[in-house]
Amino acid sequence: DAKTTQPPSMDCAEGRAANLPCNHSTISGNEYVYWYRQIHSQGPQYIIHGLKNNETNEMASLIITEDRKSSTLILPHATLRDTAVYYCIVLDNTGTASKLTFGTGTRLQVTL
Amino acid sequence: DAGVIQSPRHEVTEMGQEVTLRCKPISGHDYLFWYRQTMMRGLELLIYFNNNVPIDDSGMPEDRFSAKMPNASFSTLKIQPSEPRDSAVYFCASSLGTGGANVLTFGAGSRLTVL
């Protein structure tokens, strides 16, 4: 039972903003949206997470819709090094670890 | 901090041999996770520990797999006997329980090839 839906692939020109969508229409009130990415041959890397407010850090911005049924990860100025598979994950954040389950993600290709 | 350290980075072995993968989590992290990644099945959670105690091992494929965490700075994943279908990249990750339990830091992985 997939909790999130992401497009399988996207392209983005270097220097432009990359906007990666994620649908999570069955999200419950206490579930957070997490984003990870995996660059080829490396371990996954945490990017950002949020509950309902928009979040920003040094890597990206996370925009969550008011009804929380979808979100968008924004890489403001994509570089070739941002080419990776991006995973959107929904889970509880109660202070104890949840079973972080990675789906198939979105393969982002950044091109010159 | 050097991050999560895994060894070996690459292992090639023959079917039937014992394989031991090692992980050193980030100091102070109280959660440790073992994942396996294959083309067919993607990233799968095998087991995770909290304060050295196994919490959920429902992802461990079968009795040939075992994981231990004898202390806060070391964990092993053992496969005995190994089979060709165990060929995969095995990732270890750790996280800080308080406020960041689901912010995992992954190691570089151990690529296992069983011939």
Side-chain angles (χ1 to χ4, degrees), chain A residues 18-22 24 35 61-65 70-74:
Chain A
N19 297 287
L20 293 96
C22 180
H24 31 79
W35 284 84
S61 295
L62 174 59
I63 308 298
I64 302 174
T65 58
S70 66
S71 60
T72 301
L73 179 75
I74 301 173

Side-chain angles (χ1 to χ4, degrees), chain B residues 31-92:
Chain B
Y31 282 93
L32 184 138
F33 306 79
W34 282 101
Y35 281 83
R36 176 174 70 175
Q37 186 170 33
T38 61
M39 288 291 292
M40 290 291 292
R41 301 175 67 91
L43 270 162
E44 303 173 277
L45 176 64
L46 300 178
I47 184 172
Y48 74 93
F49 296 81
N50 180 219
N51 292 322
N52 314 336
V53 176
I55 301 301
D56 189 330
D57 65 354
S58 59
M60 294 286 265
E62 49 198 273
D63 292 345
R64 297 185 298 105
F65 285 69
S66 63
K68 294 182 179 179
M69 192 164 186
N71 58 63
S73 59
F74 184 66
S75 176
T76 60
L77 179 67
K78 187 172 293 187
I79 309 172
Q80 166 64 15
S82 59
E83 297 182 3
R85 60 190 167 129
D86 302 330
S87 296
V89 181
Y90 291 81
F91 290 103
C92 176

